[in-house]
Amino acid sequence: MTLDQVYDSRRAVNFFDKEKPLAEATLKNIVNMAVLAPSAFNLQPWEIIAVKSDEAKAKLHAAANKQPKILDAPVTLIIVGNRKGFEASNPVWQDKIDAAGGDPSKVKGAMEAAARLYGSTEERSIKFAESNSGLIAMSILYAAKFYGVDSHPMSGMDFAAVKEAFELGDGKEPVILISLGYRDETKTLHGRAKRRGYDEVVTVL
Ligand SMILES: Cc1cc2nc3c(=O)[nH]c(=O)nc-3n(C[C@H](O)[C@H](O)[C@H](O)COP(=O)(O)O)c2cc1C
């Protein structure tokens, strides 16, 4: 599939085939492709919870406006953004130290800059978590399509309820949900809604 075909054919699919599972290997391929998404300082301040069991689906369904696709799709991903992902506890810093020949002083400046940029106010930490998680989310939607898998992004949820139900740790926030699976071919997918193009959205200064 070419990139334009991926973009053209990705849709938010409302109806999933309940009988069609998603192979674990396919989910791994999707995520391993999607993690090539960019992130600030390459900090990858995200985690993904794959909701597959009936019990976990019921919990998520209750906290996410009872959206039926959470029960119907074989898996729904909770994309979790880490508002503290710039801190020293992020293992990515160690990867950077290793890549710098094991010398922590080589990444000290970057660690301080990241803390200043993303940790100095609450607003900055929220933007940090949400902007990076948005990029991995979009990357997952396109990677899924590339592997022939349908998807549906959702932010219709009680964020606090999801955080509590899935016991997300300090600074970790649910950002978006993505149901993955195969669309129910017996149901009609409505036409693609109009997009506002370059002339409507771009201001050249
Ligand atoms: C951040 C975000 C949140 C969304 N939340 C929901 C949702 O909670 N429920 C829903 O049915 N669709 C949701 N959608 C799907 C959009 O309605 C859909 O992407 C849009 O209408 C465009 O359709 P298309 O993706 O098929 O092109 C969401 C999409 C995005 C990007």
Side-chain angles (χ1 to χ4, degrees):
M1 211 183 241
T2 59
L3 187 59
D4 59 336
Q5 287 170 333
V6 170
Y7 270 69
D8 268 353
S9 58
R10 184 218 54 82
R11 295 295 315 280
V13 162
N14 253 315
F15 304 104
F16 286 88
D17 187 336
K18 294 182 204 170
E19 310 304 324
K20 225 169 157 186
L22 179 63
E24 186 65 20
T26 307
L27 179 58
K28 279 190 181 165
N29 285 338
I30 291 168
V31 172
N32 284 331
M33 179 180 277
V35 294
L36 294 172
S39 60
F41 288 86
N42 190 37
L43 284 169
Q44 306 157 64
W46 50 60
E47 288 173 23
I48 299 169
I49 299 171
V51 172
K52 287 174 90 169
S53 69
D54 288 344
E55 190 194 347
K57 279 184 182 182
K59 270 202 294 192
L60 185 59
H61 181 249
N65 297 357
K66 299 203 163 82
Q67 299 204 51
K69 44 215 164 240
I70 293 168
L71 300 182
D72 294 348
V75 59
T76 296
L77 306 180
I78 307 175
I79 309 299
V80 176
N82 185 358
R83 290 175 56 184
K84 298 189 168 182
F86 54 82
E87 291 184 348
S89 54
N90 184 338
V92 169
W93 288 119
Q94 190 55 49
D95 296 344
K96 287 177 186 289
I97 292 168
D98 294 345
D103 181 358
S105 72
K106 295 248 170 63
V107 300
K108 190 168 170 283
M111 283 179 90
E112 287 170 356
R116 211 169 38 246
L117 278 169
Y118 308 123
S120 50
T121 67
E122 190 181 10
E123 184 193 17
R124 282 166 180 254
S125 76
I126 292 169
K127 284 188 192 294
F128 171 69
E130 293 190 341
S131 59
N132 288 294
S133 297
L135 289 171
I136 182 98
M138 191 68 250
S139 196
I140 287 170
L141 299 179
Y142 286 132
K145 198 70 241 185
F146 177 78
Y147 283 106
V149 173
D150 292 312
S151 62
H152 197 120
M154 285 163 278
S155 57
M157 66 178 128
D158 177 337
F159 293 91
V162 172
K163 183 174 164 84
E164 190 186 338
F166 290 88
E167 300 175 2
L168 304 185
D170 187 28
K172 296 186 181 171
E173 306 294 339
V175 175
I176 190 165
L177 310 175
I178 301 176
S179 289
L180 293 173
Y182 300 92
R183 98 177 173 86
D184 179 348
E185 303 282 351
T186 66
K187 304 251 169 65
T188 310
L189 186 62
H190 59 76
R192 167 93 79 186
K194 178 185 183 302
R195 293 304 203 266
R196 304 180 74 238
Y198 180 95
D199 290 339
E200 291 144 313
V201 301
V202 176
T203 304
V204 181
L205 299 176

